[in-house]
Amino acid sequence: QVQLVESGGGLVQAGGSLRLSCAASGSIFIINSMGWYRQAPGKQRELVATTTRNGVTNSANSVKGRFTISRDNAKNTVYLQMNSLEPDDTALYYCYANVVGRGSSYIDDYWGQGTQVTVSS
């Protein structure tokens, strides 16, 4: 089994910054895509940003120019640098990873439990 543990969420004023981290552990051979989704009250869960291990990225238009995703393959960790935060960024942020298990050809999706980001105006 694989576990994803997020950290770095919190309360920040509009215009401020946060850096989210997500570390994957467990029976991992390779992590393919890895990244972040978020869900605000009354809204559907949406893509924030994802990246493959070789650097192909995908991100929501609402965060382009403000958020930057990166990953450290050796540490099985993905980061989200969030700058110029806005109240609309307030949400529960979930880490996501698509994982090839060690000793297996099976590929599974895993989710963290979420870290809360709250942006005040």
Side-chain angles (χ1 to χ4, degrees):
Q1 199 68 15
V2 174
Q3 300 81 41
L4 305 180
V5 179
E6 304 110 327
S7 63
L11 175 64
V12 66
Q13 294 178 336
S17 297
L18 287 172
R19 182 175 174 85
L20 305 184
S21 299
C22 173
S25 62
S27 185
I28 298 169
F29 176 62
I30 288 289
I31 301 177
N32 296 315
S33 181
M34 199 172 188
W36 299 90
Y37 290 72
R38 68 187 182 188
Q39 187 167 21
K43 296 184 178 181
Q44 293 182 304
R45 186 175 298 188
E46 65 176 358
L47 168 75
V48 179
T50 59
T51 182
T52 68
R53 64 184 296 105
N54 61 354
V56 178
T57 62
N58 186 30
S59 62
N61 288 334
S62 60
V63 308
K64 289 179 179 176
R66 300 188 298 120
F67 294 6
T68 301
I69 189 168
S70 61
R71 65 187 283 181
D72 186 333
N73 292 331
K75 296 180 179 179
N76 288 331
T77 300
V78 66
Y79 306 93
L80 186 69
Q81 180 64 48
M82 309 165 67
N83 298 326
S84 301
L85 282 161
E86 304 168 354
D88 284 349
D89 295 318
T90 296
L92 189 63
Y93 283 68
Y94 294 93
C95 183
Y96 160 83
N98 181 257
V99 178
V100 179
R102 180 181 294 180
S104 175
S105 62
Y106 294 108
I107 303 175
D108 292 309
D109 293 331
Y110 292 90
W111 294 88
Q113 295 192 48
T115 184
Q116 179 67 40
V117 171
T118 302
V119 184
S120 64
S121 59

